[in-house]
């Protein structure tokens, strides 16, 4: 039997984008816009109680499943969702994420807060934070290209 463990973590990432809060919010709420910087969703229902699911992974590698449920949405201001991340049949983590979108001068300050439980050494908070920073940098690049 494998050893069972849980590691808890909270991390906060702040980013400033040279785009309006409306454009930043749209990059999260519009499925085609989001697919330009985040893995394309197999299911995308952006409303409170709606789900976003995507499955994928490297060629000949494990399949990862991101399964999110939107808990609160405040137009152009805030998105709160819970999500699980699985690798094959193994649950890697369960998280709650809050995305705050605030006017900052002529741009937007985005504050991303994730609180997670990471299971059995399948993933670590450090790896998740690193991947999230990479993802939010891709969002910044996409906003510059629009």
């Amino acid at each position: 039997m494998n050893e069972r463990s849980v590691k808890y973590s909270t991390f906060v990432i702040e980013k400033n984008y040279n785009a309006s809060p409306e454009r930043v919010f749209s990059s999260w709420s519009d499925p085609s816009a989001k697919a330009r910087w985040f893995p394309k969703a197999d299911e995308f229902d952006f409303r409170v109680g709606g789900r976003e699911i995507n499955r994928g992974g490297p060629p000949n590698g494990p399949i990862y499943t991101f399964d999110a449920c939107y808990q609160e949405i405040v137009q152009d201001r805030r998105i709160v969702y819970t999500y699980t991340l699985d690798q094959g049949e193994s649950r890697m983590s369960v998280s709650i994420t809050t995305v705050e979108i605030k006017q900052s001068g002529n741009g937007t300050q985005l504050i991303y807060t994730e609180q997670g439980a990471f299971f059995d050494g399948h993933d670590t908070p450090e790896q998740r934070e690193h991947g999230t920073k990479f993802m939010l940098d891709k969002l910044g690049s996409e906003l510059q290209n629009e």
Side-chain angles (χ1 to χ4, degrees):
M1 183 170 145
N2 293 337
E3 173 122 3
R4 297 292 193 177
S5 64
V6 180
K7 186 171 185 180
Y8 303 97
S9 180
T10 298
F11 62 87
V12 179
I13 301 170
E14 296 186 27
K15 294 286 186 179
N16 290 296
Y17 299 121
N18 190 21
S20 70
E22 294 80 12
R23 279 186 55 217
V24 173
F25 185 87
S26 178
S27 292
W28 290 79
S29 63
D30 177 85
S32 60
K34 190 167 186 183
R36 290 193 291 270
W37 61 273
F38 194 82
K40 186 176 184 328
D42 300 311
E43 180 181 326
F44 193 91
D45 183 8
F46 189 80
R47 63 179 175 84
V48 173
R51 292 179 66 193
E52 178 178 349
I53 300 172
N54 66 50
R55 294 173 188 85
N60 302 316
I63 300 297
Y64 293 90
T65 302
F66 169 87
D67 185 349
C69 180
Y70 292 100
Q71 304 296 330
E72 183 184 51
I73 298 171
V74 178
Q75 182 75 33
D76 302 328
R77 303 273 318 251
R78 181 173 53 239
I79 304 165
V80 180
Y81 58 94
T82 53
Y83 77 94
T84 59
L85 186 62
D86 298 339
Q87 179 184 7
E89 299 298 315
S90 297
R91 172 98 350 126
M92 296 173 65
S93 64
V94 176
S95 296
I96 179 170
T97 300
T98 302
V99 179
E100 297 174 85
I101 299 168
K102 299 179 178 187
Q103 182 79 44
S104 178
N106 290 330
T108 298
Q109 178 188 37
L110 183 138
I111 303 169
Y112 179 102
T113 305
E114 183 166 333
Q115 299 165 291
F118 299 83
F119 305 124
D120 307 326
H122 295 297
D123 196 1
T124 68
E126 296 80 14
Q127 290 171 311
R128 181 69 54 82
E129 184 173 357
H130 175 78
T132 302
K133 284 179 181 175
F134 177 78
M135 172 194 73
L136 293 175
D137 286 345
K138 282 182 66 176
L139 169 58
S141 295
E142 184 58 37
L143 288 166
Q144 285 182 327
N145 293 331
E146 287 184 352

